[in-house]
Amino acid sequence: MGGAATALRGDAWTDGNPAVAGTRSGRSLAFFASQSFGLSELRYSAFQYIEPTTIGAFSLGASSFGFSDFRRTDASVGYGRGFAFGAMRKAYFGMLLSYRSVTIAGYGAQGAVDFSLGGMVELASGLDLGFSATNVSAADLGNGGELPRSLAVGLAFRPSEPLLVSADAYQEIGYPLSARVGIELLPVDVLYVRAGAVSQPAGLTFGAGVRLGLVAVDISAQRHEVLGWSPAGGLSMLW
Amino acid sequence: MRASIAQPATLIATCLVLAAFSPALSNAQVLPDSSAAEAIERAIESIDEDAGDTSLLVETLEFLLENPLDVNTATIDELSLVPGIDEGLAFAIVDYRRNRGPFQSLPELQLVPGLTEDVFQDARPYLMIGEELKTRTKRPSPFPSPVPVRELVRGIRLDVIQRVTRRLDTGVGYQDDSTRTTYVGGPERIYSRLRATYGRRLSLNLTGEKDPGEVLDWSPSTGSLGYDHVTGHAAIRDFGRIHTLVVGDYVAAFGQGLVFWKGLSAGKGRDVIGPASRSGNGITPYGSTDENGFLRGVATTIRLTRALSVSGFASRRTLDATVSASDSLQQELEEVNLTNTGLHRTPTEIAKRDALSEALLGGNVEFTAGKFSIGAVAYKSQFDKPLIPGDAAYQRYRFTGRDVGIASAYGSWFISTFRLFGEVARDQDGNVATFGGTSARFGRGIRAVMIARRYPRSFTNLHSFAFGESSGATQNESGVYLGLRVTPARHWVISTYMDQYRFPWIRFGVPMPSSGHETLLLVEHRPRRWLNWYVQARSETKEGGVPVVDDSGQTVDGLRDETRQSVRLNLQYEFSKQLTLRSRVEVTRFSAEKEPTATGTLLLQDLRWNVSPALALDSRLMLFDTDSFDARVFTYEYDLRYSFSIPSFSGRGQRTYLMLSFKPQQNLLLQVKYAVTRYENVETVGSGLDEVAGNRLREIRAQLLWRI
């Protein structure tokens, strides 16, 4: 969906918005892998587990990116919860504490802890607003090693069950502001079809998912006009 | 000069202290809640982003919020100060109550033609229904009755405001270094204010401010009261025939500002109707932080009859100026220019302090009869040294000499739903400036204004601030402005303006007569009271200076079009009384011939959490990324109560702040704000004496507001 996931309620991943954990009513365990532009050196893999409790939802995740000469490894714990703030509805907020390390062959490894925040509210029936900020503590690896800092604000609109439209504005320091839009359709009961577009770097995404009972399988591909296709796939268990 | 201000300032301070400890003041007063600050924020957001100092605007709105206007007695001039209400709507309100009797409730205002729901929501915090008029049947006295002294003393309210702000990362100007110029004082900005008021009737004020880098020097024997800027006044309003009487510092605005306009001025912005069709509000006591925009002396407005009022004002004050001599032995003056930074941080800046003195005497007469009003304003002033601008071409038509004499006539006429207004001014050299326009209301949902202006290049503009492109310069400009505000459906507002202007003489950095045009389109939707969003697009193309190579291969001065455009999407959502969110994304673009196009972006998220009635938290995270200063982005940010700012950002980085507001008692508010801006790919921030090593700027701001 073009990466427009900041306002997607109930998602199994909290990377896009730590507040998402609080919107889940059940447990989830998700795995994800991608290989940008088909290059094994740009392989990314991750997993995440979300455990809702009566005092909020906790998440645990890890990811790895790169290859033997350059590898970035992240491990995170998160917490998300809904708060009434004096209303009958709930606004959801979450945070993610991540340990991020970078290993460069011949140079060793550096790591740092950063802190991310997110929020999500329902503006109107079927219309959600989400925001998410990574590394708000501006942690870095030292010696000029920057860790990404970003802010995303998004809307998700689900006018009816078979249709979901989402849009994000995403800014990461050092990169241009990016507009992301996505659409998800449910043509038959178990099959999801997705498409999206990203403005920076310009690209289109396509995907599909099948959900059978507790298990969901998703595949997607993003096309960059110069560098080509980036395939990705995921497996989720939701219960 | 310091000696001259010491005496009245001491007198006012004594009055304030006596008032503070008066046994009559036993009842604690209640501070306005956060909704008052939010009302001001909404108004501030609608003004031009590069309008500069907003302290005067805040001052006026703050006063209105704390002393709401009685819609059954307020005049057209007073009502037109309220955000969202222009002169035409103000007249419609007055006309409505004249024909149908006093308003019984504020929502009844929405029956006034043209006063739509969105206007009402913006204006409501500034208005009230006076108790005594709800049931009145006979015509009230044309002049407010004086308040008995006993009642006045019992009802007086004292505010104490103490604010200290400081950058934690200070510039090289604060470092000890004998090899170069440094600032004479510390990096703190200190602001103190004592104010005693009785509604709108009485105001005693003493304000002191020290800017960063200025010295805090307490030496009453030499007339120094510690603060670099000290302002104060004693004022009464609405006492019988006395509309206003101010002793001390004041501002004044008459007509459309061709001759005299010091004080509140909004300029072009999201309010496309009001600023263009404004009229001066006469004399107002002054107690703000702008060190140049006020007069010092005595001023009064007397109502001779219900329809006729006269004003007189006298001022004598010193001003900062650059005085340079071509021959230091003979002191032959070469150049004397006014400076208006108000900063006295280095020996050079201190040398400019009080370098010039101006004595001013002026008057105004105004006659209002139903739908028709006319007035005239004039003043004469004399400087102790002649003003001598430099010999640069762009300075050629600036005022030269010691004596100024200028006058104007202005008027306003309501015809059905139309209002015609205008002003004609003539200075001592015979230059004539003109301003004229019409505003109109069509049906309930359409309001429009059209104005034309012509300010000659040599027009004397020392105390003018008329509507225009050049931030009130009222000189060297002519133009036409068209503003339109449409409510196509309930909850929707579309606003637009187009302004075309021309500068008949060269300006700083622009070597030839030049021109430009600007357009704004705003679509705003407020589907619920707690949800609003808008899209604003703005484009301005203006000719700027550029060196060009002519046919003979010589480099000569030329012109080029420079275009600045921006698009903004803003969404504000009040989840509950406890939680408010605001998101904004903005893209700017600057293009000019022979220069690569520069773009800028801004993305921000605000969160306001009223944890409890006593505790509130404001926070912001903002990322910005601009290719150049020309593509800079502006954004309003929450700040200490009654302190507002619209900073601009260029470069690439992140801005965050956290502000804590604690109200342990109904009459006490403590606020602390911590803000940090981090820039990317830079080793220093700022320039000159403000250059900071590193890539971040941290600031802490604290304020105590105590109402006795």
Side-chain angles (χ1 to χ4, degrees):
Chain A
M1 294 182 66
T6 309
L8 293 188
R9 169 185 295 263
D11 201 23
W13 292 94
T14 60
D15 295 31
N17 188 344
V20 163
T23 66
R24 283 207 53 78
S25 55
R27 297 186 182 92
S28 68
L29 176 63
F31 300 90
F32 177 82
S34 70
Q35 191 160 297
S36 295
F37 319 118
L39 300 173
S40 61
E41 291 83 358
L42 302 181
R43 189 175 292 154
Y44 174 81
S45 55
F47 89 90
Q48 185 150 69
Y49 173 70
I50 297 176
E51 172 74 37
T53 71
T54 53
I55 58 166
F58 294 87
S59 68
L60 184 70
S63 67
S64 173
F65 170 78
F67 61 110
S68 56
D69 287 351
F70 176 91
R71 183 163 300 282
R72 198 186 75 205
T73 309
D74 299 345
S76 64
V77 290
Y79 176 69
R81 186 183 167 181
F83 299 88
F85 290 106
M88 301 296 283
R89 303 155 294 138
K90 283 189 174 177
Y92 296 90
F93 289 89
M95 56 187 175
L96 206 61
L97 203 62
S98 304
Y99 176 75
R100 304 186 191 275
S101 73
V102 171
T103 304
I104 301 175
Y107 289 90
Q110 287 275 20
V113 175
D114 76 26
F115 184 59
S116 302
L117 290 171
M120 188 179 291
V121 291
E122 187 181 48
L123 298 180
S125 179
L127 178 64
D128 289 321
L129 167 76
F131 59 89
S132 171
T134 61
N135 193 11
V136 291
S137 50
D140 60 43
L141 296 170
N143 300 322
E146 296 283 330
L147 286 175
R149 279 180 281 153
S150 67
L151 175 64
V153 179
L155 291 169
F157 182 45
R158 190 185 288 277
S160 62
E161 184 56 34
L163 174 64
L164 171 68
V165 181
S166 64
D168 279 10
Y170 177 86
Q171 173 97 59
E172 182 174 333
I173 298 244
Y175 297 90
L177 179 76
S178 174
R180 302 171 168 187
V181 293
I183 183 169
E184 179 185 82
L185 299 169
L186 185 64
V188 293
D189 206 22
V190 297
L191 177 66
Y192 295 85
V193 179
R194 304 181 183 104
V198 192
S199 68
Q200 293 286 349
L204 296 173
T205 66
F206 304 93
V210 175
R211 178 158 184 186
L212 291 168
L214 306 178
V215 180
V217 178
D218 299 286
I219 55 168
S220 71
Q222 178 169 358
R223 177 170 167 72
H224 186 279
E225 58 184 344
V226 176
L227 299 172
W229 290 94
S230 299
L235 172 69
S236 308
M237 280 165 280
L238 313 158
W239 72 98
Chain B
M1 181 58 204
R2 286 187 172 193
S4 69
I5 62 170
Q7 207 166 4
T10 307
L11 184 66
I12 292 167
T14 307
C15 291
L16 289 166
V17 170
L18 285 175
F21 294 100
S22 164
L25 306 179
S26 55
N27 293 332
Q29 301 273 339
V30 177
L31 280 169
D33 61 18
S34 58
S35 64
E38 286 166 12
I40 294 181
E41 286 157 12
R42 278 200 300 277
I44 291 284
E45 272 207 302
S46 70
I47 68 169
D48 193 4
E49 290 153 334
D50 46 11
D53 192 341
T54 58
S55 59
L56 285 169
L57 176 60
V58 172
E59 185 93 0
T60 305
L61 296 178
E62 173 199 344
F63 183 80
L64 276 179
L65 275 172
E66 305 227 344
N67 304 280
L69 292 170
D70 183 348
V71 291
N72 287 319
T73 59
T75 64
I76 292 173
D77 285 349
E78 288 169 337
L79 287 169
S80 61
L81 287 174
V82 173
I85 296 182
D86 65 345
E87 298 267 338
L89 270 185
F91 174 78
I93 293 171
V94 172
D95 197 43
Y96 185 93
R97 78 180 185 220
R98 188 185 297 140
N99 294 328
R100 308 201 180 188
F103 295 97
Q104 299 295 318
S105 69
L106 281 183
E108 196 184 333
L109 278 169
Q110 293 175 85
L111 297 174
V112 174
L115 211 152
T116 51
E117 187 180 344
D118 56 292
V119 173
F120 175 68
Q121 293 298 343
D122 284 345
R124 184 175 190 152
Y126 304 91
L127 302 172
M128 60 171 281
I129 301 287
E131 285 298 320
E132 73 274 16
L133 283 183
K134 271 187 182 173
T135 54
R136 76 169 165 79
T137 53
K138 63 179 182 181
R139 192 175 174 140
S141 163
F143 309 116
S145 54
V147 182
V149 174
R150 186 182 176 85
E151 184 187 327
L152 190 144
V153 172
R154 277 184 178 279
I156 209 163
R157 192 182 72 196
L158 183 70
D159 286 341
V160 180
I161 303 174
Q162 180 61 55
R163 182 186 308 154
V164 179
T165 68
R166 187 189 195 280
R167 272 199 179 161
L168 302 179
D169 306 292
T170 52
V172 295
Y174 296 101
Q175 298 166 2
D176 288 335
D177 189 341
S178 58
T179 63
R180 66 175 175 208
T181 302
T182 56
Y183 292 139
V184 296
E188 303 81 16
R189 183 188 299 277
I190 302 174
Y191 168 91
S192 305
R193 183 165 189 173
L194 281 171
R195 178 178 57 186
T197 53
Y198 176 83
R200 300 172 55 79
R201 299 289 190 89
L202 173 72
S203 173
L204 300 169
N205 183 89
L206 187 61
T207 304
E209 192 202 32
K210 166 204 164 309
D211 290 315
E214 293 177 342
V215 71
L216 193 67
D217 177 26
W218 176 258
S219 176
S221 59
T222 62
S224 172
L225 298 176
Y227 299 93
D228 180 80
H229 168 60
V230 178
T231 178
H233 67 250
I236 57 172
R237 293 200 228 203
D238 296 335
F239 272 71
R241 290 179 183 271
I242 300 175
H243 179 275
T244 309
L245 173 63
V246 186
V247 179
D249 295 340
Y250 60 92
V251 293
F254 301 101
Q256 270 78 45
L258 294 190
V259 166
F260 214 96
W261 191 291
K262 285 193 172 301
L264 178 65
S265 182
K268 289 185 278 188
R270 285 171 55 203
D271 181 357
V272 301
I273 303 292
S277 60
R278 65 185 191 176
S279 285
N281 197 44
I283 292 162
T284 308
Y286 181 84
S288 194
T289 54
D290 186 324
E291 298 183 24
N292 300 286
F294 65 91
L295 300 172
R296 175 163 288 164
V298 181
T300 187
T301 299
I302 307 290
R303 296 186 182 99
L304 296 180
T305 68
R306 180 190 282 268
L308 182 66
S309 65
V310 295
S311 301
F313 46 99
S315 167
R316 186 178 185 86
R317 65 166 299 202
T318 53
L319 301 162
D320 290 358
T322 306
V323 181
S324 60
S326 60
D327 184 331
S328 58
L329 291 176
Q330 296 180 16
Q331 287 296 303
E332 184 181 327
L333 294 175
E334 186 184 47
E335 200 173 319
V336 180
N337 282 308
L338 290 168
T339 58
N340 58 7
T341 64
L343 297 172
H344 309 104
R345 306 166 299 178
T346 63
T348 306
E349 289 175 350
I350 292 169
K352 297 176 185 175
R353 183 188 187 116
D354 301 341
L356 206 60
S357 171
E358 181 189 22
L360 182 145
L361 192 64
N364 161 258
V365 58
E366 201 162 296
F367 179 78
T368 304
K371 298 180 176 181
F372 184 70
S373 75
I374 55 170
V377 59
Y379 76 86
K380 280 189 75 68
S381 84
Q382 188 174 62
F383 294 92
D384 63 341
K385 299 183 189 73
L387 285 172
I388 307 169
D391 55 6
Y394 74 90
Q395 295 172 306
R396 181 171 302 170
Y397 292 104
R398 291 192 179 172
F399 174 74
T400 304
R402 291 180 58 186
D403 298 298
V404 181
I406 182 168
S408 78
Y410 57 88
S412 173
W413 187 19
F414 291 95
I415 311 168
S416 181
T417 60
F418 286 77
R419 173 178 173 250
L420 304 175
F421 52 93
E423 182 172 8
V424 179
R426 186 178 188 278
D427 69 11
Q428 68 285 339
D429 299 322
N431 298 296
V432 176
T434 52
F435 180 101
T438 179
S439 62
R441 189 184 71 245
F442 305 98
R444 270 195 68 80
I446 300 177
R447 288 155 62 196
V449 63
M450 185 169 70
I451 63 159
R453 58 193 189 270
R454 181 179 173 277
Y455 314 138
R457 58 191 177 186
S458 49
F459 185 68
T460 302
N461 65 343
L462 294 175
H463 297 290
S464 315
F465 203 110
F467 183 82
E469 166 64 13
S470 304
S471 294
T474 324
Q475 187 187 61
N476 187 33
E477 182 179 327
S478 57
V480 179
Y481 173 95
L482 176 66
L484 185 66
R485 187 179 193 278
V486 181
T487 309
R490 197 173 173 219
H491 307 310
W492 286 88
V493 177
I494 299 174
S495 303
T496 184
Y497 71 70
M498 283 159 279
D499 188 29
Q500 281 200 317
Y501 49 85
R502 184 171 179 276
F503 306 109
W505 184 245
I506 62 180
R507 298 178 298 133
F508 178 74
V510 187
M512 295 180 188
S514 57
S515 61
H517 54 87
E518 181 177 2
T519 306
L520 177 139
L521 176 66
L522 171 73
V523 179
E524 188 170 11
H525 185 210
R526 301 185 191 183
R528 300 284 185 275
R529 189 187 54 75
W530 33 265
L531 175 65
N532 75 78
W533 63 271
Y534 69 82
V535 179
Q536 175 183 297
R538 195 171 188 166
S539 177
E540 181 172 31
T541 299
K542 191 190 281 191
E543 287 176 323
V546 65
V548 294
V549 179
D550 66 8
D551 295 340
S552 62
Q554 298 236 326
T555 301
V556 297
D557 293 330
L559 290 179
R560 66 174 182 180
D561 279 347
E562 297 176 349
T563 300
R564 189 172 191 277
Q565 296 167 313
S566 67
V567 178
R568 172 191 299 171
L569 171 62
N570 189 87
L571 185 148
Q572 180 155 326
Y573 174 60
E574 188 181 309
F575 178 80
S576 66
K577 288 293 176 194
Q578 292 182 18
L579 181 69
T580 302
L581 302 171
R582 178 164 60 177
S583 310
R584 174 177 294 184
V585 57
E586 181 162 349
V587 179
T588 61
R589 181 175 182 272
F590 176 83
S591 59
E593 287 173 40
K594 299 177 182 174
E595 204 173 294
T597 298
T599 59
T601 58
L602 173 151
L603 181 64
L604 71 80
Q605 179 64 49
D606 285 348
L607 187 149
R608 169 172 283 183
W609 179 19
N610 295 315
V611 183
S612 72
L615 187 65
L617 195 70
D618 284 292
S619 63
R620 164 171 292 180
L621 177 61
M622 180 182 93
L623 270 60
F624 56 92
D625 187 345
T626 71
D627 292 337
S628 70
F629 179 76
D630 290 319
R632 65 194 178 279
V633 288
F634 295 87
T635 179
Y636 164 80
E637 66 179 46
Y638 293 122
D639 213 325
L640 306 174
R641 182 72 60 88
Y642 307 139
S643 168
F644 295 86
S645 58
I646 311 176
S648 70
F649 296 90
S650 58
R652 180 180 291 164
Q654 173 182 324
R655 166 88 170 167
T656 52
Y657 68 73
L658 196 65
M659 187 171 78
L660 200 67
S661 301
F662 180 48
K663 201 171 170 183
Q665 299 173 26
Q666 286 298 310
N667 63 338
L668 183 64
L669 177 66
L670 302 165
Q671 291 181 296
V672 179
K673 178 180 177 182
Y674 173 75
V676 56
T677 308
R678 294 174 194 275
Y679 294 88
E680 296 301 306
N681 302 326
V682 296
E683 294 179 353
T684 60
V685 182
S687 60
L689 294 179
D690 289 322
E691 185 177 291
V692 175
N695 70 340
R696 76 182 172 182
L697 289 177
R698 295 169 299 164
E699 186 182 32
I700 191 153
R701 301 165 66 81
Q703 179 169 280
L704 178 149
L705 176 55
W706 184 29
R707 174 157 297 170
I708 304 170

